Amino acid sequence: MEKKYDYLIVGSGLFGATFAYFARKQGKKCLVIDKRPYLGGNIYCENVEGINVHKYGAHIFHTSNREVWNLVNSIVEFNRYTNSPVANYKGMLYNLPFNMNTFYQMWGVITPEEAQAKIEEQKAEAISRMKADGVTEPRNLEEQAQVLIGKDIYERLIKGYTEKQWGRKCTELPAFIIKRLPVRFVFDNNYFNDKYQGIPIGGYNRLIIGLLDGVETKTNVDFFVNRAYWESLADKIVFTGKIDEFYGYCFGKLNYRTVRFEQEIIESSNYQGNAVVNYTELEVPYTRIIEHKHFEMFGQAVYDNPKTVISKEYSTEWCDGMEPYYPVNDEMNNTLYAKYKALADVEENVIFGGRLAEYKYYDMAPIIEKVMQTMANI
């Protein structure tokens, strides 16, 4: 019996929507289903008080790939937002990523030479502490960070934030989590090194709507509730959900970290003066505060809206019923994922893509690159 669709796409996040966009351009018939009541996956925005709120955490688009940048801008124009987070440690503010502004705030040093000397001095102290313990290689994240950047920056800007994010002490986390730290001896607060950076004007929903233009979509649909029916509709499935769930958890469940958001509407035009402020001390329970208007409002526009919306982010262990965010790519979980991937690799009519299906953390631009690559191989 001839199938109704070429592709059933499970999940309308960036992978699923981009795949549908390219498939439709190739003349393929797609059906996109999503269990949430709206399209867009984790880049979905909710309009609150005239502000596009990133419902599932801050999403900042950045890439050096001109083809990817031209593609997204052909769908919706992107603004000039530049990610320049600020860290708050016990009421003191520091610029991120670590640059000459940070070093001046930390030590009062003015020249790159002075900053380098201070960091080298602290790195040497960290190495000698390890030697005194009879080790030459960092045994954990704490030692790794101090070997890279020294004690002061580690203790004020890395330690508490990392322990909140992972729910474990830095001495219990593997060193490989931070093999490198961005350190710049210039006065530059731009977090990313990419050539292109911005937010879609009018929010990410416009990008998703544009990608899915002309594609049939259904929301409030759980693929697993009536799996046989949905599978019967299409020649191939593009699956962007959890790979372990696709296989009925036959080898066991993969672990994730998740994030809980506390959203507040504040009767003020400008709460913190920046989109992203990290709280790096352990005693403050949230990891950061996002003020959403700063992603899309600049200059006078900030004050034209008398209200603002903030989200406090709390990092927690994931359990059933929670939103899975970050794969826990430790040895145990990677070994488990490899078993599922072996099953996925022999599937002839299923394409697995995205953060949950590949058990891998992705930024947005690499997701689009991955879809382009997948389409080129079909």
Side-chain angles (χ1 to χ4, degrees):
M1 189 179 90
E2 196 180 332
K3 302 281 178 99
K4 195 174 171 188
Y5 301 97
D6 295 296
Y7 293 106
L8 170 75
I9 299 168
V10 182
S12 66
L14 194 56
F15 190 100
T18 307
F19 190 99
Y21 171 83
F22 282 112
R24 190 182 74 83
K25 284 186 85 168
Q26 290 178 4
K28 303 294 185 190
K29 198 165 183 214
C30 301
L31 171 63
V32 176
I33 61 171
D34 201 296
K35 66 180 178 186
R36 289 176 181 166
Y38 38 75
L39 301 167
N42 281 9
I43 66 171
Y44 173 74
C45 292
E46 192 170 38
N47 195 283
V48 181
E49 301 290 348
I51 296 159
N52 286 313
V53 171
H54 295 205
K55 189 172 169 64
Y56 297 95
H59 284 81
I60 298 143
F61 201 96
H62 57 99
T63 184
S64 292
N65 184 325
R66 186 190 287 247
E67 195 184 355
V68 168
W69 186 245
N70 288 347
L71 168 70
V72 294
N73 275 273
S74 72
I75 291 163
V76 53
E77 189 185 350
F78 276 57
N79 69 20
R80 58 99 177 147
Y81 175 80
T82 301
N83 190 28
S84 309
V86 171
N88 182 321
Y89 177 77
K90 300 191 174 178
M92 297 291 289
L93 298 179
Y94 300 90
N95 289 103
L96 298 172
F98 311 134
N99 70 71
M100 283 302 298
N101 289 308
T102 325
F103 308 141
Y104 173 72
Q105 291 149 349
M106 188 74 64
W107 302 305
V109 295
I110 290 169
T111 67
E113 196 179 6
E114 289 173 306
Q116 271 172 315
K118 192 78 185 161
I119 289 170
E120 287 307 319
E121 177 194 323
Q122 294 205 349
K123 282 163 69 171
E125 284 168 11
I127 290 164
S128 68
R129 278 195 299 275
M130 279 168 47
K131 273 187 181 156
D133 272 357
V135 290
T136 52
E137 288 296 312
R139 291 164 290 187
N140 53 50
L141 189 146
E142 177 163 292
E143 290 179 348
Q144 177 71 68
Q146 293 198 38
V147 162
L148 290 171
I149 198 77
K151 190 178 179 182
D152 291 349
I153 288 175
Y154 166 71
E155 291 197 337
R156 289 187 216 177
L157 303 182
I158 298 172
K159 186 178 194 284
Y161 188 87
T162 305
E163 292 186 352
K164 286 189 285 192
Q165 209 167 20
W166 290 98
R168 292 163 184 78
K169 288 192 160 63
C170 285
T171 49
E172 293 165 14
L173 287 165
F176 74 77
I177 291 178
I178 47 170
K179 274 292 180 214
R180 57 191 183 84
L181 285 168
V183 178
R184 299 180 187 157
F185 294 98
V186 289
F187 291 89
D188 179 9
N189 300 324
N190 178 0
Y191 197 79
F192 301 118
N193 288 314
D194 286 311
K195 194 171 179 182
Y196 310 108
Q197 181 176 177
I199 306 276
I201 294 170
Y204 280 101
N205 295 2
R206 290 190 62 199
L207 176 63
I208 291 292
I209 289 162
L211 288 168
L212 291 172
D213 184 36
V215 175
E216 195 180 333
T217 61
K218 290 184 192 291
T219 52
N220 288 309
V221 170
D222 188 337
F223 169 73
F224 294 104
V225 169
N226 198 351
R227 181 172 179 164
Y229 167 74
W230 296 111
E231 288 183 335
S232 74
L233 295 180
D235 291 325
K236 292 192 179 217
I237 294 167
V238 177
F239 185 77
T240 69
K242 287 156 53 192
I243 190 169
D244 52 352
E245 187 176 14
F246 186 87
Y247 288 110
Y249 305 110
C250 63
F251 300 124
K253 290 187 177 182
L254 291 162
N255 292 330
Y256 297 87
R257 291 291 291 171
T258 190
V259 183
R260 178 171 65 81
F261 302 96
E262 266 180 20
Q263 192 176 303
E264 281 176 64
I265 298 166
I266 291 178
E267 304 285 331
S268 159
S269 294
N270 190 358
Y271 175 78
Q272 64 185 18
N274 205 38
V276 184
V277 178
N278 291 356
Y279 284 78
T280 59
E281 72 211 70
L282 197 56
E283 293 69 30
V284 174
Y286 40 87
T287 53
R288 59 185 189 171
I289 297 180
I290 304 297
E291 186 173 7
H292 298 268
K293 68 161 37 171
H294 295 298
F295 290 129
E296 292 185 66
M297 296 177 186
F298 309 100
Q300 185 55 40
V302 171
Y303 296 94
D304 291 342
N305 186 334
K307 294 185 182 180
T308 194
V309 181
I310 65 162
S311 299
K312 291 177 178 170
E313 295 189 9
Y314 297 80
S315 183
T316 58
E317 285 292 323
W318 174 85
C319 58
D320 281 342
M322 287 176 152
E323 205 57 58
Y325 277 89
Y326 303 107
V328 180
N329 292 118
D330 58 16
E331 202 175 331
M332 183 188 82
N333 282 289
N334 287 346
T335 303
L336 183 55
Y337 167 65
K339 291 181 180 178
Y340 286 117
K341 188 175 186 308
L343 295 181
D345 286 345
V346 295
E347 294 278 0
E348 287 180 11
N349 297 317
V350 187
I351 293 163
F352 293 87
R355 189 174 43 92
L356 303 178
E358 296 178 60
Y359 200 65
K360 176 183 173 183
Y361 178 76
Y362 270 110
D363 282 327
M364 287 178 286
I367 281 278
I368 293 174
E369 286 173 6
K370 181 75 196 251
V371 175
M372 289 174 160
Q373 202 183 329
T374 304
M375 295 307 286
N377 292 337
I378 290 173

